[in-house]
Amino acid sequence: MTHDSAASLTELRDRLGVIADLTQASALMSWDQRTYLPPKGNAGRSRAIATIGRLRHDRMTDPSLADVLASLEAADLEGDDAALVRETRRDVDLAARLPRELVGRAAEQFSLAETSWAAARAHDDFASFAPVLRENLVIVREIAQAHAAGGDLYDALHDLYERDSTAAAVEAVFTPLRAELVELVGEIRERGRSIDVSPLLGAFDEGRQERFNLGVARAFGYDLDGGRLDRTTHPFASGIGRGDVRITTRYKGDDLRGALFPTLHEAGHGIYEQNLPAEHAGTPLGRHASLGVHESQSRLWENLVGRSLPFWEWAYPRLQETFPDRLGAVDLEAFHAAMNVVEPSLIRVEADEVTYHLHVMIRFELERALLEGSLDVDDLPGAWNERYEAYLGITPPDDRRGCLQDVHWAGGMIGYFPTYSLGTLLSAQLWEALRRDLGDVDDAMRRGEFGGILSWLIEHVHRHGRRYTPAELTRRATGAELSAEPYLRYAREKYGTIYGL
Amino acid sequence: MTHDSAASLTELRDRLGVIADLTQASALMSWDQRTYLPPKGNAGRSRAIATIGRLRHDRMTDPSLADVLASLEAADLEGDDAALVRETRRDVDLAARLPRELVGRAAEQFSLAETSWAAARAHDDFASFAPVLRENLVIVREIAQAHAAGGDLYDALHDLYERDSTAAAVEAVFTPLRAELVELVGEIRERGRSIDVSPLLGAFDEGRQERFNLGVARAFGYDLDGGRLDRTTHPFASGIGRGDVRITTRYKGDDLRGALFPTLHEAGHGIYEQNLPAEHAGTPLGRHASLGVHESQSRLWENLVGRSLPFWEWAYPRLQETFPDRLGAVDLEAFHAAMNVVEPSLIRVEADEVTYHLHVMIRFELERALLEGSLDVDDLPGAWNERYEAYLGITPPDDRRGCLQDVHWAGGMIGYFPTYSLGTLLSAQLWEALRRDLGDVDDAMRRGEFGGILSWLIEHVHRHGRRYTPAELTRRATGAELSAEPYLRYAREKYGTIYGL
């Protein structure tokens, strides 16, 4: 490398460091807005988030950054340096498409909208949220238009979350997946044995739940010296800064699963963030590969590990000790079956592994219709409920458990939902590859040892940050393109056993 | 006002708004670092705080801001507009004296130093903190030199906290005050009746303490819809942004006073911040007049109200209901006397009203010696303990309860401590003026009605923000220069009664 290139790389990293620090400020302000901000602070906070967003955008579109980047593109860089320049170019180009004014307006609107949504959800009051969502869609369309350059608006947005993916690619996966799942759900309903979920229902002390859930998250590898767990309306994970990766959950008074699986899910996200390449912290190369890849990590720990029998062979005695009165007389097999009951339900983040994708498909269809304008915001609750009836055979009794349940549209995130299913499919594909490489990991799980699994994920996923595209990462880690087959194999085998099909 | 001036004022307010938003980000990041940040996030957080500090400094020293300000100074503005320009000029000039590099270095160092201090305090390990404090002093001296322009370094720093005050002015107050206090403490020791503090000692449930303390803070006027209470190593109040004024306290396992008075004290700061002029939010005019004035508000609620007999006539039955087993059999007079016991103690924020100033005087002397270099950091624990023996007749058994107890020097704040005493003196002077204006407020306090007191404080102090200098504000509110006399009258009368002198 020439002396000039080395100096330019240093300058690039310094400039990216300032941008990362602004991102840290903004991420903390958003986290705080969802956790601890007093209500009267909302307007001022949203405004400040918008200001930081504009200042960040100024830095991303600074001509001096473009100059440094251009000089590095002309140099003959290799390896990580070349990747850093390539990934920075992507982010700079994405930023350059958006007018400064739109960046600030969007940040302020989405931030305020989340607060409106939380209140509307708490009071089951969709009408109060409808005008906010309508305004969100106006802004989201502007953002989509800026990115689409005449192309498909949904694709332009979806690509922001899942690089190189399109609505057509999602449909190509979803259509056969849906057919298979409907068949599997039908088999379970018609021929499966009956499973008693009552051991999981009723009151469980929240403090004890939290201690148990956090204990599992730590055993998986979530580092509380660089993280923390708080309570929010909608569970999320946020990599605020180096050494500061936070997760949240919520408690459901009458169901042990309500906080457990979101905690393990978000811990999976947190573990990924905590193991991104430290040497690239504060640069695009130190970030996650895509939201689908992110989701593969959360879903792997939540489901492939956290809903498995070997895992519960280790964890269940601990849970019984935590709630001896409730679970002391419930045997492992009954408990494990209850934890894996397949039944149509209202809430996506609490759904079982099999029906989960149907929740995602509903959102995928509805958000495309909202974006293109073929579905009016006022008609959303009706359209939502119709699809729940059609896909899952149940109708939400209220919007709180219907179209107000998820935060994403309030936060301006359209095109995000498919990544939940794509990531879930990838989690099963990674799991197959991991078991090919490591052999049987069940015994380790039975002993509460998850280090082998974690190391494999770090080696094949986490440490690469954004060095590879999601497709490349998938090929390198699993030897194949992303496919629904591993997931379907896994689901058919697991639920065939549990339901005695 | 000309059309040009109106446009310039709008531009000024917009520019100050961006600066205020950066300040909000920075204030939140610091609050979070003291409350919830996981330990591994400290280095990255300190770096980000430094970055935001530099960006804020860039904005404050932006030539375009200077141009707008100059054009407004040339215009013929009046009233609040003129005050806004004058106060912005002060802040811009203060910022311009500091090199950008120093601003960032200081922010990062002080932020890291607070974390080191908290760990050193927790482990009673002054040696681990000594090199950090030494580095702090190097930077503090650089800041002082930048501001002093050849003048006295301590005065330059003290002026940042208490405008127009000097070490000489502080000494002129402290020297006679000390003589009077030593005399009063002597009288109490020699001729005062014995007071039993045992009702306040021992274990009190922290959750119940918190509910009671917060109930009082709310009754005083602290608005929890625009605030919150958290736990920290050192209690503080922080006006993070509009509608977001947070306070913290800590719990002392064996003494009911340990969390109560810091909570009421910080609530007093919070009430001031919550009632600063909303129309000037985000500008220098919307900020506090000085730290002495700030302290007058915290000390007024903590002491003049919160340690008074009429207040406890209302509050004590509530406290008895909160802790029936502990306090049910203790009568009001005995309780009130215990709450006001005068005795030499180790911890400033827990000190009684009479000995409090001696704690401040010790710090004032030591920080001047540290700054000028006549006291080496390694000799601080010894010098601290000697002065506690000389002034209060007790020797701290460890540094945790000695020179490691306060956060200020760790946070780079030298020249701040005198404001505690100045503010306390002002609180008594304001209290006299308030009672002149309102007549007897005891009956209202006995009924738990604090609105009259709050309204007077808003009218005479809060709503003015930084429109007046501390000296002007004092004259306008009380009709006199700041003096120790009202405080001494108050202390002699109150403690004469309690101790039967």
Side-chain angles (χ1 to χ4, degrees):
Chain A
M1 195 189 316
T2 66
H3 181 72
D4 281 359
S5 295
S8 294
L9 272 172
T10 300
E11 191 186 340
L12 180 67
R13 287 206 179 86
D14 286 348
R15 288 178 173 274
L16 293 172
V18 171
I19 291 167
D21 288 340
L22 284 164
T23 306
Q24 178 179 154
S26 176
L28 180 68
M29 289 194 290
S30 294
W31 172 87
D32 181 73
Q33 193 168 27
R34 292 167 171 181
T35 50
Y36 297 126
L37 180 68
K40 288 186 179 172
N42 263 316
R45 175 59 51 82
S46 296
R47 185 199 134 123
I49 288 172
T51 295
I52 301 294
R54 274 189 292 264
L55 296 180
R56 190 182 172 284
H57 187 259
D58 290 344
R59 296 263 157 181
M60 284 297 285
T61 57
D62 186 333
S64 311
L65 175 60
D67 290 347
V68 177
L69 203 52
S71 79
L72 286 165
E73 286 169 332
D76 201 18
L77 299 179
E78 295 179 337
D80 280 2
D81 294 335
L84 171 62
V85 169
R86 186 190 67 229
E87 293 307 304
T88 304
R89 165 58 64 196
R90 175 175 158 91
D91 287 358
V92 163
D93 287 352
L94 284 172
R97 291 185 195 149
L98 300 178
R100 179 179 204 268
E101 175 279 325
L102 175 57
V103 169
R105 183 156 46 92
E108 186 160 1
Q109 166 69 20
F110 298 155
S111 168
L112 287 169
E114 272 205 37
T115 309
S116 301
W117 161 79
R121 181 180 176 282
H123 303 108
D124 186 34
D125 180 12
F126 181 78
S128 72
F129 180 59
V132 178
L133 178 56
R134 188 168 283 117
E135 178 60 23
N136 273 15
L137 285 166
V138 168
I139 293 178
V140 166
R141 275 187 211 108
E142 284 184 66
I143 293 170
Q145 277 152 3
H147 286 300
D152 183 77
L153 295 189
Y154 189 87
D155 284 352
L157 294 172
H158 180 52
D159 188 76
L160 298 174
Y161 304 110
E162 196 59 28
R163 193 166 173 173
D164 306 329
S165 182
T166 62
V170 172
E171 276 183 337
V173 174
F174 276 11
T175 305
L177 178 63
R178 188 177 160 212
E180 295 268 5
L181 290 176
V182 167
E183 192 186 311
L184 179 55
V185 172
E187 276 184 59
I188 288 170
R189 190 175 49 232
E190 284 154 31
R191 302 198 288 116
R193 69 183 183 90
S194 169
I195 289 174
D196 175 18
V197 296
S198 66
L200 312 179
L201 306 181
F204 292 85
D205 179 77
E206 290 186 5
R208 287 179 187 204
Q209 284 189 62
E210 183 167 297
R211 274 193 297 280
F212 174 81
N213 298 349
L214 265 182
V216 174
R218 291 180 76 160
F220 287 175
Y222 179 62
D223 177 6
L224 279 169
D225 285 338
R228 50 180 293 115
L229 174 68
D230 297 274
R231 299 178 182 204
T232 46
T233 303
H234 201 279
F236 69 96
S238 177
I240 291 176
R242 185 78 192 284
D244 182 14
V245 177
R246 307 185 186 188
I247 63 174
T248 73
T249 192
R250 65 182 177 213
Y251 289 80
K252 198 175 169 180
D254 59 351
D255 192 329
L256 191 58
R257 294 167 293 186
L260 171 65
F261 289 116
T263 304
L264 302 190
H265 178 98
E266 302 306 336
H269 283 303
I271 290 166
Y272 181 21
E273 289 279 331
Q274 288 182 330
N275 290 294
L276 289 169
E279 68 274 25
H280 297 302
T283 81
L285 208 53
R287 303 202 66 224
H288 56 271
S290 77
L291 285 174
V293 173
H294 229 308
E295 208 61 28
S296 76
Q297 300 308 295
S298 53
R299 299 287 284 168
L300 187 145
W301 289 108
E302 176 192 1
N303 293 334
L304 285 300
V305 179
R307 294 186 201 255
S308 75
L309 188 57
F311 161 72
W312 282 111
E313 287 181 40
W314 168 73
Y316 188 56
R318 283 160 181 75
L319 187 63
Q320 285 179 307
E321 277 171 37
T322 309
F323 298 110
D325 297 347
R326 296 295 318 274
L327 299 173
V330 180
D331 73 23
L332 172 66
E333 200 214 357
F335 173 81
H336 179 252
M339 277 287 187
N340 282 284
V341 71
V342 174
E343 62 187 357
S345 61
L346 295 168
I347 307 295
R348 177 183 59 85
V349 301
E350 297 168 8
D352 63 80
E353 288 181 279
V354 180
T355 59
Y356 182 82
H357 299 280
L358 301 173
H359 294 260
V360 175
M361 291 167 189
I362 290 170
R363 288 154 180 76
F364 173 60
E365 292 173 18
L366 291 175
E367 68 181 9
R368 290 171 78 195
L370 284 169
L371 184 71
E372 69 180 29
S374 61
L375 174 64
D376 187 81
V377 166
D378 289 337
D379 299 327
L380 176 61
W384 181 284
N385 293 354
E386 273 170 31
R387 274 186 177 71
Y388 264 77
E389 187 57 46
Y391 282 44
L392 288 150
I394 51 174
T395 298
D398 50 43
D399 295 328
R400 201 178 170 285
R401 285 170 284 182
C403 66
L404 283 175
Q405 72 182 260
D406 283 314
V407 67
H408 305 66
W409 296 338
M413 291 178 280
I414 302 271
Y416 182 125
F417 277 117
T419 67
Y420 286 117
S421 279
L422 299 177
T424 301
L425 302 183
L426 179 55
S427 71
Q429 189 165 332
L430 288 168
W431 191 245
E432 274 195 359
L434 178 155
R435 292 171 78 103
R436 266 199 312 271
D437 287 357
L438 301 182
D440 187 12
V441 292
D442 290 355
D443 269 352
M445 289 200 283
R446 282 185 195 106
R447 293 191 303 271
E449 292 167 11
F450 307 97
I453 296 168
L454 176 60
S455 296
W456 191 93
L457 293 172
I458 291 173
E459 172 70 17
H460 294 273
V461 180
H462 305 180
R463 74 180 175 92
H464 297 301
R466 232 171 80 184
R467 184 181 292 126
Y468 306 119
T469 64
E472 274 178 270
L473 188 79
T474 301
R475 267 194 306 273
R476 284 174 168 266
T478 71
E481 309 288 316
L482 179 65
S483 151
E485 286 311 313
Y487 164 78
L488 285 167
R489 275 194 291 273
Y490 158 76
R492 288 198 168 279
E493 187 191 325
K494 173 173 175 179
Y495 292 95
T497 304
I498 288 175
Y499 276 95
L501 299 180
Chain B
M1 196 190 314
T2 66
H3 181 72
D4 280 359
S5 294
S8 293
L9 272 171
T10 300
E11 191 186 339
L12 180 68
R13 288 208 179 84
D14 286 349
R15 287 178 174 275
L16 293 172
V18 171
I19 291 166
D21 288 339
L22 285 164
T23 307
Q24 177 178 155
S26 175
L28 180 68
M29 290 195 289
S30 293
W31 171 87
D32 182 72
Q33 193 167 26
R34 292 167 172 181
T35 50
Y36 297 127
L37 180 68
K40 287 186 180 173
N42 262 317
R45 174 60 51 80
S46 296
R47 186 198 134 125
I49 288 172
T51 295
I52 301 294
R54 275 188 291 263
L55 296 180
R56 190 181 173 285
H57 187 259
D58 289 344
R59 296 262 157 183
M60 284 297 285
T61 56
D62 186 332
S64 311
L65 174 59
D67 290 347
V68 178
L69 203 53
S71 80
L72 285 165
E73 286 169 331
D76 201 18
L77 300 180
E78 295 178 338
D80 280 2
D81 294 334
L84 171 62
V85 169
R86 186 191 66 228
E87 293 307 304
T88 305
R89 165 58 64 196
R90 174 173 158 94
D91 287 359
V92 164
D93 286 353
L94 284 173
R97 292 185 195 149
L98 300 178
R100 178 179 204 269
E101 176 278 325
L102 175 57
V103 170
R105 183 156 45 93
E108 186 159 2
Q109 166 69 19
F110 297 155
S111 167
L112 287 168
E114 271 205 37
T115 308
S116 301
W117 162 79
R121 182 181 176 281
H123 302 108
D124 185 34
D125 180 13
F126 181 78
S128 72
F129 180 59
V132 178
L133 178 56
R134 186 168 283 116
E135 178 60 22
N136 273 15
L137 285 166
V138 169
I139 294 179
V140 166
R141 275 187 210 108
E142 283 184 66
I143 293 170
Q145 276 152 4
H147 286 300
D152 184 77
L153 296 189
Y154 189 87
D155 283 352
L157 294 172
H158 180 50
D159 188 75
L160 298 174
Y161 304 109
E162 195 59 28
R163 193 166 174 174
D164 306 329
S165 181
T166 61
V170 171
E171 277 183 336
V173 174
F174 277 11
T175 305
L177 179 62
R178 190 179 159 210
E180 295 268 4
L181 291 174
V182 167
E183 190 186 313
L184 179 56
V185 171
E187 276 183 59
I188 289 170
R189 192 175 46 232
E190 285 154 32
R191 302 198 290 116
R193 69 184 182 91
S194 169
I195 289 175
D196 175 18
V197 297
S198 67
L200 312 179
L201 305 182
F204 291 85
D205 178 77
E206 290 187 4
R208 287 180 187 204
Q209 283 189 63
E210 182 166 298
R211 275 192 297 282
F212 174 81
N213 298 349
L214 264 182
V216 174
R218 291 181 77 160
F220 287 175
Y222 179 62
D223 178 6
L224 278 169
D225 285 338
R228 50 179 292 115
L229 174 69
D230 297 275
R231 299 178 183 204
T232 46
T233 303
H234 201 279
F236 69 96
S238 176
I240 291 176
R242 185 77 193 284
D244 182 14
V245 177
R246 307 184 186 188
I247 63 174
T248 72
T249 193
R250 65 181 178 214
Y251 290 81
K252 198 175 170 181
D254 59 353
D255 192 329
L256 190 57
R257 294 167 293 187
L260 171 65
F261 289 115
T263 304
L264 302 189
H265 179 97
E266 302 306 336
H269 283 304
I271 290 166
Y272 181 22
E273 289 279 330
Q274 289 183 330
N275 290 294
L276 288 169
E279 69 274 24
H280 297 302
T283 79
L285 208 52
R287 302 200 68 225
H288 56 270
S290 77
L291 285 174
V293 173
H294 228 309
E295 208 60 29
S296 77
Q297 301 306 296
S298 54
R299 298 288 284 169
L300 187 145
W301 289 108
E302 176 193 1
N303 293 334
L304 284 301
V305 179
R307 293 185 202 254
S308 76
L309 188 58
F311 161 72
W312 282 110
E313 287 181 40
W314 168 73
Y316 188 55
R318 283 160 181 77
L319 187 63
Q320 285 179 307
E321 277 171 34
T322 308
F323 298 110
D325 297 347
R326 296 295 319 275
L327 299 173
V330 179
D331 73 23
L332 173 65
E333 200 214 359
F335 173 81
H336 179 253
M339 277 288 186
N340 281 286
V341 70
V342 175
E343 61 186 357
S345 62
L346 296 167
I347 307 296
R348 177 184 58 84
V349 302
E350 297 168 8
D352 64 80
E353 287 181 277
V354 180
T355 59
Y356 182 81
H357 299 279
L358 301 174
H359 294 261
V360 174
M361 291 167 189
I362 290 170
R363 288 154 180 77
F364 172 61
E365 292 173 19
L366 292 174
E367 68 182 8
R368 290 171 78 194
L370 284 169
L371 185 70
E372 69 180 30
S374 61
L375 175 64
D376 187 81
V377 166
D378 289 338
D379 298 328
L380 176 60
W384 181 284
N385 293 354
E386 273 170 33
R387 274 185 177 72
Y388 264 77
E389 187 58 46
Y391 283 42
L392 288 150
I394 50 175
T395 298
D398 49 44
D399 295 329
R400 200 179 171 285
R401 285 171 282 183
C403 65
L404 283 174
Q405 71 181 261
D406 284 313
V407 68
H408 304 66
W409 296 338
M413 291 178 282
I414 302 272
Y416 183 125
F417 276 117
T419 68
Y420 287 117
S421 280
L422 299 177
T424 300
L425 303 184
L426 179 56
S427 71
Q429 189 166 330
L430 288 168
W431 191 244
E432 274 195 359
L434 178 156
R435 291 170 79 104
R436 267 200 312 270
D437 287 356
L438 300 182
D440 187 12
V441 293
D442 289 354
D443 268 352
M445 289 200 284
R446 283 186 193 104
R447 293 191 303 271
E449 292 167 11
F450 306 96
I453 296 169
L454 177 59
S455 296
W456 192 93
L457 293 171
I458 292 173
E459 172 71 17
H460 293 274
V461 180
H462 306 181
R463 74 181 176 93
H464 297 301
R466 232 171 78 184
R467 185 181 291 126
Y468 306 120
T469 64
E472 274 178 270
L473 188 79
T474 301
R475 266 195 306 274
R476 283 174 168 266
T478 71
E481 309 289 315
L482 178 66
S483 150
E485 286 312 313
Y487 164 78
L488 285 168
R489 275 194 290 273
Y490 158 77
R492 289 199 168 277
E493 186 191 326
K494 174 172 174 178
Y495 291 94
T497 304
I498 289 175
Y499 277 95
L501 300 180

